[in-house]
Amino acid sequence: MSANGQRRSRTARILRTLAVSGTGAAVLAVPLIGATSASAAPATTTAVSSVSYPNNLDGWIRESLAIMAEKGIPGSYNGIHRNIMRESSGNPMAINLWDSNAAKGIPSKGLLQVIQPTFNTYHVAGTSFDIYDPVANITAACNYAAARYGSIDNVYSAY
């Protein structure tokens, strides 16, 4: 105990010991004492997704796959690409004006030839509400295919 009856802190004892020894180490030790109990300030950096996709078929499929992964919608690049090539040959403005849906007044539209009621029902949050938007069309169609067939990968003909 010290002369005034109070117990010295561990830091004070270490500093006194170093100072008495005359090594000059006290000056070096001051910033280090208590360092193990100090906590760092929380990081304030924000991770921003800077992924950009090309405005072409490859980019649209990849962007759709990223959204699908976030939403738990199954599907693969190959399954999507195969169905797009069969349905629209990669034309996001494709419209079918001759099949049974068109005869009923609800033609199939876009890359994966989705009718408006199906697009509305299976629209995926975070995508455009425009049926001709390539990413919205792919993502909604894949959501529909997942509900009906388990995945767009299981679709090999008109669906």
Short mmCIF file of all heavy atoms in Angstrom, two decimals, residues 77-115:
data_model
loop_
_atom_site.label_atom_id
_atom_site.label_comp_id
_atom_site.label_asym_id
_atom_site.label_seq_id
_atom_site.Cartn_x
_atom_site.Cartn_y
_atom_site.Cartn_z
N TYR A 77 -27.37 -20.33 -65.37
CA TYR A 77 -27.12 -19.54 -66.57
C TYR A 77 -27.54 -20.34 -67.81
O TYR A 77 -28.27 -19.84 -68.67
CB TYR A 77 -25.64 -19.18 -66.66
CG TYR A 77 -25.32 -18.25 -67.81
CD1 TYR A 77 -25.18 -16.88 -67.60
CD2 TYR A 77 -25.15 -18.74 -69.10
CE1 TYR A 77 -24.90 -16.02 -68.64
CE2 TYR A 77 -24.86 -17.88 -70.15
CZ TYR A 77 -24.74 -16.53 -69.92
OH TYR A 77 -24.46 -15.68 -70.97
N ASN A 78 -27.11 -21.59 -67.87
CA ASN A 78 -27.42 -22.42 -69.05
C ASN A 78 -28.91 -22.65 -69.22
O ASN A 78 -29.43 -22.62 -70.34
CB ASN A 78 -26.67 -23.75 -68.98
CG ASN A 78 -25.19 -23.57 -69.18
OD1 ASN A 78 -24.74 -22.58 -69.76
ND2 ASN A 78 -24.40 -24.52 -68.69
N GLY A 79 -29.62 -22.90 -68.11
CA GLY A 79 -31.07 -23.11 -68.19
C GLY A 79 -31.80 -21.87 -68.68
O GLY A 79 -32.71 -21.96 -69.51
N ILE A 80 -31.38 -20.71 -68.18
CA ILE A 80 -32.01 -19.46 -68.61
C ILE A 80 -31.69 -19.19 -70.07
O ILE A 80 -32.58 -18.90 -70.88
CB ILE A 80 -31.54 -18.29 -67.72
CG1 ILE A 80 -32.04 -18.48 -66.28
CG2 ILE A 80 -32.01 -16.95 -68.29
CD1 ILE A 80 -31.43 -17.52 -65.27
N HIS A 81 -30.43 -19.30 -70.43
CA HIS A 81 -30.00 -19.01 -71.81
C HIS A 81 -30.71 -19.93 -72.80
O HIS A 81 -31.22 -19.47 -73.84
CB HIS A 81 -28.48 -19.15 -71.93
CG HIS A 81 -27.95 -18.66 -73.23
ND1 HIS A 81 -27.82 -19.48 -74.34
CD2 HIS A 81 -27.53 -17.44 -73.62
CE1 HIS A 81 -27.35 -18.78 -75.34
NE2 HIS A 81 -27.16 -17.53 -74.94
N ARG A 82 -30.78 -21.21 -72.49
CA ARG A 82 -31.44 -22.17 -73.39
C ARG A 82 -32.89 -21.77 -73.64
O ARG A 82 -33.36 -21.77 -74.78
CB ARG A 82 -31.37 -23.57 -72.76
CG ARG A 82 -32.07 -24.64 -73.57
CD ARG A 82 -32.11 -25.99 -72.87
NE ARG A 82 -33.05 -25.97 -71.76
CZ ARG A 82 -32.74 -26.16 -70.48
NH1 ARG A 82 -31.49 -26.40 -70.12
NH2 ARG A 82 -33.67 -26.13 -69.55
N ASN A 83 -33.60 -21.40 -72.57
CA ASN A 83 -35.01 -21.04 -72.72
C ASN A 83 -35.20 -19.70 -73.43
O ASN A 83 -36.13 -19.55 -74.22
CB ASN A 83 -35.69 -21.03 -71.34
CG ASN A 83 -36.03 -22.44 -70.90
OD1 ASN A 83 -36.97 -23.04 -71.40
ND2 ASN A 83 -35.24 -22.99 -69.99
N ILE A 84 -34.31 -18.76 -73.19
CA ILE A 84 -34.41 -17.48 -73.90
C ILE A 84 -34.22 -17.69 -75.40
O ILE A 84 -34.97 -17.13 -76.21
CB ILE A 84 -33.36 -16.46 -73.36
CG1 ILE A 84 -33.78 -15.96 -71.98
CG2 ILE A 84 -33.16 -15.30 -74.33
CD1 ILE A 84 -32.74 -15.08 -71.29
N MET A 85 -33.24 -18.47 -75.77
CA MET A 85 -32.98 -18.69 -77.19
C MET A 85 -34.17 -19.36 -77.88
O MET A 85 -34.51 -19.02 -79.01
CB MET A 85 -31.69 -19.49 -77.40
CG MET A 85 -30.43 -18.78 -76.89
SD MET A 85 -30.32 -17.00 -77.25
CE MET A 85 -30.19 -16.99 -79.00
N ARG A 86 -34.83 -20.27 -77.18
CA ARG A 86 -36.00 -20.93 -77.75
C ARG A 86 -37.20 -19.98 -77.83
O ARG A 86 -37.94 -19.96 -78.81
CB ARG A 86 -36.39 -22.16 -76.92
CG ARG A 86 -37.57 -22.93 -77.54
CD ARG A 86 -38.13 -24.04 -76.67
NE ARG A 86 -38.75 -23.49 -75.47
CZ ARG A 86 -38.22 -23.56 -74.24
NH1 ARG A 86 -37.09 -24.19 -74.03
NH2 ARG A 86 -38.84 -23.03 -73.21
N GLU A 87 -37.39 -19.17 -76.79
CA GLU A 87 -38.59 -18.33 -76.71
C GLU A 87 -38.51 -17.04 -77.54
O GLU A 87 -39.51 -16.63 -78.12
CB GLU A 87 -38.88 -17.98 -75.24
CG GLU A 87 -39.27 -19.16 -74.39
CD GLU A 87 -40.64 -19.74 -74.73
OE1 GLU A 87 -41.47 -19.04 -75.35
OE2 GLU A 87 -40.88 -20.91 -74.39
N SER A 88 -37.34 -16.37 -77.53
CA SER A 88 -37.28 -15.04 -78.17
C SER A 88 -36.03 -14.80 -79.01
O SER A 88 -35.87 -13.70 -79.54
CB SER A 88 -37.34 -13.96 -77.09
OG SER A 88 -36.13 -13.99 -76.33
N SER A 89 -35.15 -15.76 -79.07
CA SER A 89 -33.85 -15.61 -79.75
C SER A 89 -33.04 -14.45 -79.18
O SER A 89 -32.21 -13.89 -79.85
CB SER A 89 -34.04 -15.41 -81.27
OG SER A 89 -34.70 -16.52 -81.82
N GLY A 90 -33.32 -14.10 -77.93
CA GLY A 90 -32.57 -13.05 -77.26
C GLY A 90 -33.08 -11.64 -77.49
O GLY A 90 -32.43 -10.67 -77.13
N ASN A 91 -34.28 -11.51 -78.06
CA ASN A 91 -34.87 -10.20 -78.33
C ASN A 91 -35.77 -9.80 -77.15
O ASN A 91 -36.85 -10.37 -76.97
CB ASN A 91 -35.68 -10.23 -79.62
CG ASN A 91 -36.37 -8.92 -79.92
OD1 ASN A 91 -36.21 -7.93 -79.21
ND2 ASN A 91 -37.17 -8.93 -80.98
N PRO A 92 -35.36 -8.79 -76.35
CA PRO A 92 -36.18 -8.40 -75.20
C PRO A 92 -37.51 -7.77 -75.57
O PRO A 92 -38.41 -7.68 -74.74
CB PRO A 92 -35.29 -7.41 -74.43
CG PRO A 92 -34.33 -6.89 -75.43
CD PRO A 92 -34.14 -7.99 -76.45
N MET A 93 -37.67 -7.35 -76.84
CA MET A 93 -38.93 -6.74 -77.28
C MET A 93 -39.82 -7.73 -78.04
O MET A 93 -40.83 -7.33 -78.63
CB MET A 93 -38.63 -5.53 -78.18
CG MET A 93 -37.82 -4.44 -77.48
SD MET A 93 -38.58 -3.85 -75.94
CE MET A 93 -39.97 -2.97 -76.60
N ALA A 94 -39.48 -9.00 -77.99
CA ALA A 94 -40.26 -10.02 -78.70
C ALA A 94 -41.69 -10.06 -78.15
O ALA A 94 -41.92 -9.91 -76.95
CB ALA A 94 -39.60 -11.39 -78.56
N ILE A 95 -42.62 -10.28 -79.05
CA ILE A 95 -44.03 -10.43 -78.67
C ILE A 95 -44.65 -11.46 -79.61
O ILE A 95 -44.41 -11.46 -80.81
CB ILE A 95 -44.78 -9.08 -78.74
CG1 ILE A 95 -46.22 -9.25 -78.25
CG2 ILE A 95 -44.71 -8.45 -80.11
CD1 ILE A 95 -46.94 -7.93 -78.00
N ASN A 96 -45.43 -12.36 -79.04
CA ASN A 96 -46.08 -13.41 -79.82
C ASN A 96 -47.53 -12.99 -80.06
O ASN A 96 -48.32 -12.94 -79.13
CB ASN A 96 -46.01 -14.73 -79.04
CG ASN A 96 -46.59 -15.88 -79.80
OD1 ASN A 96 -47.46 -15.70 -80.65
ND2 ASN A 96 -46.13 -17.07 -79.50
N LEU A 97 -47.84 -12.71 -81.30
CA LEU A 97 -49.19 -12.26 -81.64
C LEU A 97 -50.04 -13.33 -82.32
O LEU A 97 -51.11 -13.02 -82.84
CB LEU A 97 -49.09 -11.01 -82.54
CG LEU A 97 -48.43 -9.79 -81.90
CD1 LEU A 97 -48.25 -8.67 -82.91
CD2 LEU A 97 -49.25 -9.32 -80.71
N TRP A 98 -49.61 -14.59 -82.28
CA TRP A 98 -50.35 -15.61 -83.00
C TRP A 98 -50.78 -16.82 -82.17
O TRP A 98 -51.61 -17.60 -82.62
CB TRP A 98 -49.56 -16.10 -84.21
CG TRP A 98 -48.19 -16.64 -83.85
CD1 TRP A 98 -47.03 -15.95 -83.85
CD2 TRP A 98 -47.88 -17.95 -83.41
NE1 TRP A 98 -45.98 -16.76 -83.43
CE2 TRP A 98 -46.50 -18.01 -83.16
CE3 TRP A 98 -48.63 -19.12 -83.21
CZ2 TRP A 98 -45.84 -19.15 -82.72
CZ3 TRP A 98 -47.96 -20.27 -82.77
CH2 TRP A 98 -46.59 -20.27 -82.53
N ASP A 99 -50.26 -17.02 -80.95
CA ASP A 99 -50.61 -18.23 -80.19
C ASP A 99 -51.94 -18.06 -79.44
O ASP A 99 -52.64 -17.06 -79.58
CB ASP A 99 -49.47 -18.63 -79.24
CG ASP A 99 -49.30 -17.70 -78.05
OD1 ASP A 99 -50.02 -16.68 -77.96
OD2 ASP A 99 -48.44 -17.99 -77.20
N SER A 100 -52.29 -19.06 -78.65
CA SER A 100 -53.58 -19.05 -77.93
C SER A 100 -53.66 -17.91 -76.92
O SER A 100 -54.75 -17.36 -76.71
CB SER A 100 -53.81 -20.39 -77.23
OG SER A 100 -52.78 -20.65 -76.29
N ASN A 101 -52.53 -17.55 -76.31
CA ASN A 101 -52.56 -16.41 -75.39
C ASN A 101 -52.88 -15.11 -76.14
O ASN A 101 -53.69 -14.30 -75.67
CB ASN A 101 -51.22 -16.25 -74.65
CG ASN A 101 -51.02 -17.34 -73.62
OD1 ASN A 101 -51.94 -17.71 -72.91
ND2 ASN A 101 -49.81 -17.87 -73.55
N ALA A 102 -52.27 -14.94 -77.30
CA ALA A 102 -52.53 -13.75 -78.11
C ALA A 102 -54.00 -13.72 -78.55
O ALA A 102 -54.63 -12.66 -78.56
CB ALA A 102 -51.60 -13.73 -79.32
N ALA A 103 -54.55 -14.88 -78.89
CA ALA A 103 -55.96 -14.96 -79.30
C ALA A 103 -56.88 -14.51 -78.17
O ALA A 103 -57.96 -13.98 -78.41
CB ALA A 103 -56.30 -16.38 -79.74
N LYS A 104 -56.44 -14.70 -76.92
CA LYS A 104 -57.22 -14.28 -75.75
C LYS A 104 -56.95 -12.81 -75.39
O LYS A 104 -57.51 -12.29 -74.42
CB LYS A 104 -56.87 -15.14 -74.54
CG LYS A 104 -57.25 -16.59 -74.67
CD LYS A 104 -56.78 -17.35 -73.44
CE LYS A 104 -56.81 -18.84 -73.69
NZ LYS A 104 -56.13 -19.58 -72.61
N GLY A 105 -56.03 -12.18 -76.11
CA GLY A 105 -55.72 -10.78 -75.85
C GLY A 105 -54.61 -10.55 -74.85
O GLY A 105 -54.40 -9.43 -74.39
N ILE A 106 -53.90 -11.61 -74.50
CA ILE A 106 -52.78 -11.47 -73.56
C ILE A 106 -51.52 -12.13 -74.16
O ILE A 106 -51.09 -13.20 -73.74
CB ILE A 106 -53.09 -12.07 -72.17
CG1 ILE A 106 -53.70 -13.48 -72.28
CG2 ILE A 106 -53.98 -11.16 -71.35
CD1 ILE A 106 -53.83 -14.21 -70.97
N PRO A 107 -50.91 -11.46 -75.13
CA PRO A 107 -49.76 -12.06 -75.81
C PRO A 107 -48.55 -12.23 -74.88
O PRO A 107 -48.38 -11.49 -73.91
CB PRO A 107 -49.45 -11.05 -76.92
CG PRO A 107 -49.99 -9.77 -76.42
CD PRO A 107 -51.20 -10.11 -75.61
N SER A 108 -47.75 -13.21 -75.21
CA SER A 108 -46.50 -13.46 -74.49
C SER A 108 -45.49 -12.41 -74.92
O SER A 108 -45.39 -12.09 -76.10
CB SER A 108 -45.97 -14.85 -74.82
OG SER A 108 -46.95 -15.82 -74.53
N LYS A 109 -44.70 -11.89 -73.94
CA LYS A 109 -43.80 -10.78 -74.23
C LYS A 109 -42.43 -10.99 -73.59
O LYS A 109 -42.30 -11.65 -72.56
CB LYS A 109 -44.38 -9.48 -73.68
CG LYS A 109 -45.72 -9.11 -74.25
CD LYS A 109 -46.28 -7.87 -73.55
CE LYS A 109 -47.66 -7.51 -74.08
NZ LYS A 109 -48.22 -6.34 -73.35
N GLY A 110 -41.43 -10.38 -74.23
CA GLY A 110 -40.10 -10.32 -73.65
C GLY A 110 -39.23 -11.53 -73.91
O GLY A 110 -39.58 -12.42 -74.68
N LEU A 111 -38.09 -11.54 -73.26
CA LEU A 111 -37.08 -12.58 -73.48
C LEU A 111 -37.61 -13.99 -73.24
O LEU A 111 -37.30 -14.91 -73.98
CB LEU A 111 -35.87 -12.34 -72.57
CG LEU A 111 -34.96 -11.18 -72.95
CD1 LEU A 111 -33.93 -10.94 -71.85
CD2 LEU A 111 -34.28 -11.44 -74.28
N LEU A 112 -38.40 -14.17 -72.18
CA LEU A 112 -38.89 -15.50 -71.86
C LEU A 112 -40.39 -15.65 -72.12
O LEU A 112 -41.03 -16.56 -71.61
CB LEU A 112 -38.54 -15.87 -70.41
CG LEU A 112 -37.08 -16.30 -70.25
CD1 LEU A 112 -36.66 -16.34 -68.80
CD2 LEU A 112 -36.83 -17.64 -70.92
N GLN A 113 -40.93 -14.75 -72.94
CA GLN A 113 -42.31 -14.85 -73.42
C GLN A 113 -43.30 -15.11 -72.28
O GLN A 113 -43.95 -16.16 -72.21
CB GLN A 113 -42.42 -15.91 -74.51
CG GLN A 113 -41.70 -15.51 -75.79
CD GLN A 113 -42.34 -14.30 -76.44
OE1 GLN A 113 -43.38 -14.41 -77.09
NE2 GLN A 113 -41.74 -13.12 -76.28
N VAL A 114 -43.41 -14.15 -71.41
CA VAL A 114 -44.30 -14.21 -70.25
C VAL A 114 -45.55 -13.42 -70.56
O VAL A 114 -45.48 -12.35 -71.16
CB VAL A 114 -43.60 -13.61 -69.01
CG1 VAL A 114 -44.47 -13.70 -67.77
CG2 VAL A 114 -42.26 -14.29 -68.77
N ILE A 115 -46.72 -13.93 -70.15
CA ILE A 115 -47.94 -13.14 -70.30
C ILE A 115 -48.07 -12.20 -69.09
O ILE A 115 -47.53 -12.49 -68.01
CB ILE A 115 -49.19 -14.03 -70.48
CG1 ILE A 115 -49.40 -14.95 -69.28
CG2 ILE A 115 -49.11 -14.83 -71.78
CD1 ILE A 115 -50.72 -15.72 -69.31
#
